[in-house]
Amino acid sequence: MREIKTFFVKTYGCQMNELDSEIMVGQLEQRGLSRIEDESAADLLIFNTCSIRDLAERKVMGKLGKLGRTSQRNAVIGVTGCMANAKKDSLFQKIPHIDFVLGTNNIHDLNNVLDDVLATGKQSVKTDDRFTTELDYLSAKRDDKVKAYVSIIRGCDKFCTYCVVPYTRGPESSRTPESIEQECRQLVSQGYKEIILLGQNVNSYGKDKPEWNCLFHDLLYRLDRIPGVERIRFMTSHPVDITRELMEAVRDLPSLCEFVHFPVQAGSNRILRKMHRIYTLEQYREKVNMLREIVPEVALGTDVIVGFPTETEEEFQMTFDVLKEIEYSVAFLFAYSPRKGTPAMRWQDDVPEEVKQERLQRLMKMQEEIYQKQRQSMLEREVEILVEKKNFKDSALLKGRTRCWKNVLFPGDESLIGTLQKVRIHSYSHQTLLAELIGVSNLIDR
Ligand code: 5AD
Ligand code: SF4
């Protein structure tokens, strides 16, 4: 039987993966293993992977391939996350030196699979199609001491034609409000100041369990009542499921931050239809207008895909125009990447790579002008920030975020980490706002 004492975890992809890694770290520490940062010295290596675009998969495959040519061959190697579900045991053919493949819906099986591998020396795979067993969220081992991810719903039922998530994470499955509340209460009592509610589509929360009588906005009202909870955020939202009740919650709940990630994906109705986004641009715009009317200071985030199959220059221009019109404060911009098993694979990936990249560049340039305008408008403003950590590059500076998710740096003492402070923005450098401290925040200033 092989013996292991230490482990190393590398996480690729989204926040849901980061949280899943934290849960796995908790499970491994419970069995007496120690986490180390030195990959080359660890007895167990876990790669928690992402399949959302080809580049994400290639990065992992390159990394795993390399391990077979180093001394790390002797370590136990596990592949978890979306690639595990997308590729299942075919990964063993491609990378023979990996020991186990554990899917996104089998995290609770980690220690059993590991026992199995250690006892038998054989490869093991577990990749269930749906999430059925609740995880031990309370023993997740979190790196961050100020903000914590809390999973409220897993999976996705939307089936956008380009997206692998409904296949790698399975159908939507909400977590009970009692369990979510218990975790949030524990986090607050441990000193966490910000809770980030996670789901592929948080706005679907509770729809799969009508008997609970608790939709997303009901959950938010419940969590806002927890004494000591300073900030709550959520991501991601599908525009179709964003309701007036949710918008009113953003307006009315003191802890709920005024930032909504609200991906438009494309600006042309023909492309939106082909993407199966189930809204038209007009319907999307109506929701944005309603949200801005109800919460005038709200900041919006989006995701956009350029170069979807058959996208013409005119259709790209419509995406460009929407971004210009809406002025998002955060925009994640992607070139379309065909994913195996998705409906969009039926269509030829006919927008040449250079055209995709050129469209992306144009979009980024315009979005940068919007950011610049927004930074300019922040000058001389006094805002509330939650101090998160020391700045990576210059440790005399602290890093915090506004309620609207803007990064701010300011000189200050480490003891301020984890507190809410009022700062005055005086300038900016690249993407980051620079500020000076005014004092402890007793305002909920937006
Ligand atoms: N190609 C490019 N971008 C994609 N996304 C999802 N699938 C793909 C794909 N096949 C983007 C979407 C989504 C974000 C998380 O990733 O914009 O909102
Ligand atoms: Fe993918 Fe669409 Fe579901 Fe988002 S809503 S995870 S883009 S299928």
Side-chain angles (χ1 to χ4, degrees), residues 216-366:
F216 184 48
H217 63 271
D218 300 315
L219 179 73
L220 291 171
Y221 280 86
R222 188 169 170 159
L223 299 181
D224 180 70
R225 281 198 293 271
I226 297 175
V229 66
E230 300 276 10
R231 284 185 175 185
I232 299 178
R233 299 186 187 281
F234 55 86
M235 57 178 25
T236 291
S237 306
H238 191 291
V240 157
D241 297 316
I242 292 201
T243 57
R244 173 176 277 277
E245 286 88 344
L246 173 74
M247 300 179 194
E248 289 170 352
V250 177
R251 180 191 63 196
D252 296 339
L253 297 181
S255 66
L256 200 57
C257 291
E258 297 73 24
F259 175 77
V260 183
H261 187 66
F262 195 18
V264 66
Q265 307 293 1
S268 123
N269 283 335
R270 189 186 72 87
I271 295 291
L272 286 172
R273 204 162 46 243
K274 217 171 154 70
M275 287 178 162
H276 188 61
R277 286 296 287 178
I278 54 179
Y279 53 79
T280 61
L281 186 64
E282 292 70 31
Q283 288 164 331
Y284 179 89
R285 195 182 272 127
E286 222 170 88
K287 292 236 167 150
V288 169
N289 291 343
M290 195 197 294
L291 180 55
R292 284 186 162 158
E293 208 167 283
I294 295 175
V295 193
E297 68 281 31
V298 75
L300 297 180
T302 194
D303 295 345
V304 167
I305 298 178
V306 302
F308 192 70
T310 73
E311 182 189 70
T312 63
E313 172 57 28
E314 290 68 40
E315 285 165 335
F316 164 72
Q317 198 57 48
M318 293 177 186
T319 303
F320 186 97
D321 291 345
V322 177
L323 263 72
K324 199 164 174 175
E325 168 196 330
I326 292 184
E327 299 195 342
Y328 294 97
S329 70
V330 179
F332 297 105
L333 311 174
F334 307 107
Y336 169 68
S337 165
R339 309 312 298 135
K340 234 195 211 147
T342 61
M345 276 296 281
R346 288 198 305 265
W347 304 307
Q348 204 194 337
D349 180 21
D350 59 353
V351 179
E353 193 52 39
E354 319 78 80
V355 176
K356 283 182 193 166
Q357 291 306 325
E358 189 271 329
R359 288 180 186 169
L360 208 52
Q361 290 307 319
R362 261 192 284 165
L363 219 46
M364 282 175 175
K365 185 160 173 283
M366 187 270 294

Side-chain angles (χ1 to χ4, degrees), residues 52 155-166 200-201 236 238 265 277:
I52 197 91
C156 181
D157 290 344
K158 286 288 185 288
F159 291 94
C160 301
T161 53
Y162 50 79
C163 187
V164 285
V165 169
Q200 249 69 43
N201 179 15
T236 291
H238 191 291
Q265 307 293 1
R277 286 296 287 178

Side-chain angles (χ1 to χ4, degrees), residues 51-52 57 81-87 103-105 128-129 163-170:
S51 282
I52 197 91
E57 283 201 348
C82 285
M83 258 174 79
N85 293 72
K87 298 197 186 288
T104 54
N105 296 321
D128 292 350
D129 292 337
C163 187
V164 285
V165 169
Y167 312 97
T168 60
R169 289 195 169 262

